[in-house]
């Protein structure tokens, strides 16, 4: 399990990339890789939307 900081740093991005590589380097399961990327992107988009809503000027 990856430990991601609350501030989501460049080191976190590197850790995610390295973890992803290690899990798939000998098993190019494209469907699983695409699903994981899409799920991660959806989670990230939701977080950005929350930040945008919370930082809108009144």
């Amino acid at each position: 399990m990856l430990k991601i900081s609350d501030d989501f740093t460049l080191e976190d991005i590197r850790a995610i990339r390295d973890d992803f590589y290690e899990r798939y380097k000998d098993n190019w399961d494209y469907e699983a890789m695409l699903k994981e990327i899409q799920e991660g992107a959806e989670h990230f988009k939701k977080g950005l939307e929350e930040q945008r809503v919370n930082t809108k000027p009144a």
Side-chain angles (χ1 to χ4, degrees), residues 3-57:
K3 182 178 178 186
I4 305 299
S5 73
D6 291 338
D7 296 331
F8 199 76
T9 64
L10 184 56
E11 288 78 20
D12 294 323
I13 294 169
R14 288 183 180 129
I16 292 167
R17 178 199 62 203
D18 294 345
D19 177 70
F20 188 86
Y21 171 77
E22 285 299 319
R23 285 186 287 122
Y24 290 110
K25 70 180 179 182
D26 295 324
N27 176 24
W28 288 89
D29 183 347
Y30 293 104
E31 295 303 317
M33 292 167 70
L34 288 170
K35 182 178 180 188
E36 185 172 348
I37 291 167
Q38 290 169 345
E39 288 173 355
E42 188 60 36
H43 176 74
F44 186 70
K45 284 171 35 179
K46 287 178 184 176
L48 282 177
E49 181 62 26
E50 287 175 15
Q51 279 186 325
R52 185 175 68 127
V53 168
N54 293 332
T55 57
K56 271 189 174 178

